[in-house]
Amino acid sequence: MTGHDQDNTTRCGFVAIVGAPNAGKSTLLNRMAGTKLSIVSPKAQTTRFRVLGILMRDHAQILLVDTPGIFQPRRKLDRAMVAAAWTGSEDADITLLIVDARAGMTDALRAIATRLAQQKRRLWLVLNKTDLVKRDALLPLTAELSAILPVEHVFMVSARSGEGVDDLLDRLAADLPVGPCLYPEDDLTDLPDRLLAAELVREQIFLQTHEEVPYAATAETEGFAERPDGSVRIDVTIYVARASHKAILIGERGSRIRAIGEKARHELTRLLGRKCHLFLNVKERAGWDEERARLRAIGLDDAS
């Protein structure tokens, strides 16, 4: 086989993005895929299920699996999120461990690294936020992680600015297993549209309510109906644990919920490529995050 033929070899594989909360996983996924696929919020633990970003690079199809931040689970919801994160790593051809270079070696990172070491997976280390850290400070961190983990490659990137991300993508495209593409090239994500709708509504709740409403609010798409003109009607219910949260979300004369709906609708229209009619409803439901049916509805398998 000539070198030219080798360059045209089709490759395809799954790449899991794992790390502690706030390491920059979702920002990196969005930067790599060139579009908004996973919600990005200043709050920790906003990604609740695996998002598949599909990316063509040369002759390779890179299937990016974003996972919830791995942390010490307390509630049933937390346990399901952590289980989803580990499953994402185990299913992947290559696992990227994303590390916040500014935070350095934390207890959470050490625990993740120790568990990843037991999985015997192909593992690449990606030091993120390296634009904010002096280079000589990165060497001890890299050495410490390499002592725990069998790391194949180390990349230094800034998910925020994009620095170093092209190098990472080129290497992934060259190193994935040889095989046919699993998805049509024009598919951006296999995340069902109804989950995407709920997730975008939840992102706006985070962005527009800040510290007033904690992450114990969830959104579920109750209805997703095609209209004859090609547009779609989407009905999303937001569940909160307390009456005070419901009042904050609705806002004075409904101003807050209108703003949340408007921004989410704009994002949905852009991502789905068609007109969206979004209707929001807020319901109080104490203990929703302990209910198995609700966990399944937001895309998480229950992990007891």
Side-chain angles (χ1 to χ4, degrees):
M1 186 182 274
T2 66
H4 179 73
D5 288 331
Q6 282 180 330
D7 291 344
N8 290 328
T9 302
T10 304
R11 294 175 180 272
C12 181
F14 291 89
V15 177
I17 301 176
V18 302
N22 282 342
K25 298 178 301 299
S26 294
T27 306
L28 181 63
L29 177 80
N30 293 339
R31 171 68 65 177
M32 289 165 85
T35 188
K36 187 168 189 173
L37 293 174
S38 186
I39 75 167
V40 178
S41 152
K43 281 187 169 54
Q45 293 135 39
T46 53
T47 306
R48 288 192 177 163
F49 48 82
R50 291 180 287 150
V51 175
L52 186 60
I54 300 167
L55 175 66
M56 292 304 299
R57 186 86 171 178
D58 300 326
H59 293 279
Q61 189 172 70
I62 304 171
L63 307 173
L64 299 167
V65 183
D66 184 28
T67 57
I70 297 168
F71 54 98
Q72 282 303 115
R74 291 185 188 85
R75 303 163 309 156
K76 191 167 282 180
L77 170 67
D78 296 336
R79 293 193 293 278
M81 288 164 68
V82 172
W86 286 117
T87 303
S89 172
E90 287 162 10
D91 291 347
D93 295 293
I94 295 173
T95 296
L96 304 180
L97 173 59
I98 314 301
V99 173
D100 180 345
R102 259 191 325 185
M105 182 62 89
T106 61
D107 289 343
L109 176 57
R110 192 184 305 279
I112 291 165
T114 304
R115 178 152 176 184
L116 280 174
Q118 297 163 2
Q119 287 191 350
K120 308 220 170 14
R121 298 278 160 184
R122 293 185 67 189
L123 193 73
W124 297 6
L125 178 59
V126 180
L127 299 178
N128 188 25
K129 309 181 187 178
T130 53
D131 53 332
L132 306 174
V133 182
K134 287 194 173 71
R135 286 287 158 133
D136 55 3
L138 298 173
L139 293 174
L141 176 60
T142 305
E144 203 171 347
L145 282 165
S146 298
I148 303 172
L149 285 163
V151 174
E152 277 187 27
H153 300 293
V154 180
F155 295 87
M156 298 185 182
V157 306
S158 167
R160 194 172 46 85
S161 73
E163 183 187 345
V165 173
D166 276 337
D167 291 341
L168 173 58
L169 287 172
D170 287 342
R171 194 63 198 250
L172 283 171
D175 276 34
L176 284 173
V178 172
C181 293
L182 294 177
Y183 292 86
E185 286 192 29
D186 56 355
D187 278 7
L188 272 180
T189 173
D190 79 344
L191 181 64
D193 290 346
R194 56 175 50 236
L195 283 179
L196 182 63
E199 196 69 343
L200 287 171
V201 168
R202 215 159 57 81
E203 176 179 40
Q204 288 306 318
I205 295 169
F206 281 113
L207 294 178
Q208 297 194 40
T209 60
H210 304 297
E211 298 306 316
E212 299 165 37
V213 177
Y215 88 103
T218 192
E220 290 175 25
T221 303
E222 310 280 355
F224 197 98
E226 308 274 346
R227 288 186 164 183
D229 63 0
S231 67
V232 62
R233 177 190 168 120
I234 305 167
D235 291 271
V236 174
T237 299
I238 300 165
Y239 289 98
V240 292
R242 295 211 287 273
S244 58
H245 292 162
K246 182 176 179 178
I248 290 166
L249 270 178
I250 292 171
E252 198 173 335
R253 295 196 183 94
S255 58
R256 175 66 58 71
I257 199 71
R258 268 199 307 276
I260 288 169
E262 199 172 307
K263 285 275 176 61
R265 180 181 56 78
H266 181 74
E267 276 287 290
L268 266 171
T269 298
R270 188 176 69 79
L271 281 171
L272 298 182
R274 56 180 165 163
K275 190 171 183 182
C276 296
H277 309 275
L278 180 63
F279 297 86
L280 301 183
N281 185 18
V282 184
K283 288 184 181 175
E284 182 189 346
R285 192 180 185 113
W288 69 265
D289 51 355
E290 287 290 341
E291 291 179 37
R292 294 188 172 202
R294 300 235 94 69
L295 294 183
R296 283 196 295 275
I298 60 173
L300 283 174
D301 295 318
D302 182 35
S304 53

